[in-house]
Amino acid sequence: ETPKSKNYNDRFNALFANYSDKYTESINKNFNLNNKASSSPSKTLSPEESFKLYQEAAEQGSFIAQNNLGVYYRDGIIVEKNLDEAFKYFKLSAEKNYAPAQYNLGLLYYNNKNLSEAAKYFNLAANNGDSRALVYLGFIAYNMKNYPTAAFLYRQAAEANNPEGMNNLASLYVSGQGVPKNLSEAFALYSKAAELGLSAAMFNLGEAYNNGFGTVKDKAKALDWYKKAAAQGYKPAEDAIKKLTQ
């Protein structure tokens, strides 16, 4: 239920308590814009109307609205893509200790090759429970060839049910980097990540079945997983299907 408070943080915290980067799922949700409201009909907002509401709320200091505006500017939704504006809104929100904004700000720094600032904000987000940040901290550690730390971070993400963490930890079990080589453990992690819908893990599970690592060879199951990955646009899976069906 939407609170009757006029405070935008209160309203947006209630409306978007479980907000994630899947912002398109929330754009057209029903919002009750009337503070009298429990008996008033709700209104479905267009993206344009949502953007205006986010602007109003952001001006009132809502950290969730500020983060959402950052997503609009980062991805060019409704407005022209503007990374400077995205940075501004993510930073405003991140400074209020909002984990999704800390993650998004870290991602901007990461994509701009500023790894020290990226790590700073990923660490803040991770400490606030955002498992995606753990994955990126793992990337940074891996690229620095600190494999034990990468494995630790991926494991933390995997334990938070993050499929990318599972997939990346599995790959370390395949290569023996940072952890003892263990194909059975890799297969189990690829399986779980694939079931959670990660296309890279679907492909890797197909590879496991195709090559018989961590499991018995099964070309039919390999093809099935390749097809699932390909259906999500994962190009290596398309190539694997061609090779397997020649």
Side-chain angles (χ1 to χ4, degrees), residues 9-10 12 51 54 107 109 125 139 148 169 171 199 204 206 219 234 246:
N9 268 340
D10 290 344
F12 273 75
F51 180 76
Y54 291 149
L107 200 55
Y109 278 121
F139 289 160
L169 181 58
S171 294
S199 58
N204 287 331
K219 300 293 185 183
Y234 196 74
Q246 279 178 348

Side-chain angles (χ1 to χ4, degrees), residues 15-239:
L15 289 168
F16 295 105
N18 297 314
Y19 177 80
S20 74
D21 261 357
K22 293 184 179 179
Y23 52 85
T24 51
E25 294 176 5
S26 63
I27 283 173
N28 285 315
K29 283 194 174 183
N30 289 333
F31 298 105
N32 196 328
L33 300 179
N34 188 332
N35 280 337
K36 296 173 182 176
S38 47
S39 60
S40 302
S42 60
K43 178 182 178 182
T44 299
L45 300 185
S46 70
E48 291 83 1
E49 289 171 318
S50 296
F51 180 76
K52 185 178 178 182
L53 180 58
Y54 291 149
Q55 283 184 308
E56 293 170 359
E59 287 170 7
Q60 296 294 321
S62 167
F63 53 85
I64 297 180
Q66 288 163 349
N67 180 66
N68 290 5
L69 274 182
V71 171
Y72 272 71
Y73 281 111
R74 182 193 66 195
D75 296 345
I77 303 167
I78 308 305
V79 293
E80 186 176 345
K81 185 174 181 176
N82 187 326
L83 294 183
D84 289 336
E85 285 293 290
F87 179 89
K88 178 181 83 174
Y89 283 112
F90 287 148
K91 196 163 195 307
L92 284 170
S93 183
E95 286 172 349
K96 293 167 185 167
N97 211 32
Y98 187 48
Q102 291 165 339
Y103 168 79
N104 286 330
L105 188 55
L107 200 55
L108 286 185
Y109 278 121
Y110 183 86
N111 290 334
N112 203 37
K113 312 299 183 188
N114 188 337
L115 297 187
S116 61
E117 285 297 299
K120 170 185 169 182
Y121 284 100
F122 286 145
N123 190 57
L124 288 170
N127 285 333
N128 284 322
D130 195 318
S131 65
R132 299 170 301 171
L134 287 165
V135 172
Y136 273 90
L137 287 170
F139 289 160
I140 293 170
Y142 183 87
N143 289 330
M144 294 174 67
K145 301 190 186 304
N146 188 338
Y147 303 127
T149 298
F152 172 80
L153 291 162
Y154 291 151
R155 188 181 305 281
Q156 296 299 305
E159 288 174 356
N161 215 38
N162 183 297
E164 285 192 69
M166 296 171 193
N167 185 64
N168 294 346
L169 181 58
S171 294
L172 293 184
Y173 275 118
V174 171
S175 65
Q177 293 172 304
V179 289
K181 190 169 184 174
N182 188 328
L183 297 183
S184 296
E185 186 66 23
F187 176 80
L189 285 163
Y190 283 144
S191 297
K192 189 169 182 182
E195 293 292 349
L196 288 171
L198 185 67
S199 58
M202 293 173 183
F203 170 75
N204 287 331
L205 189 55
E207 290 283 274
Y209 278 118
N210 193 28
N211 296 290
F213 65 77
T215 188
V216 176
K217 276 189 180 183
D218 189 323
K219 300 293 185 183
K221 286 183 179 178
L223 185 59
D224 182 51
W225 283 108
Y226 287 150
K227 286 180 177 179
K228 288 178 180 178
Q232 293 191 18
Y234 196 74
K235 184 67 168 58
E238 296 172 13
D239 298 335

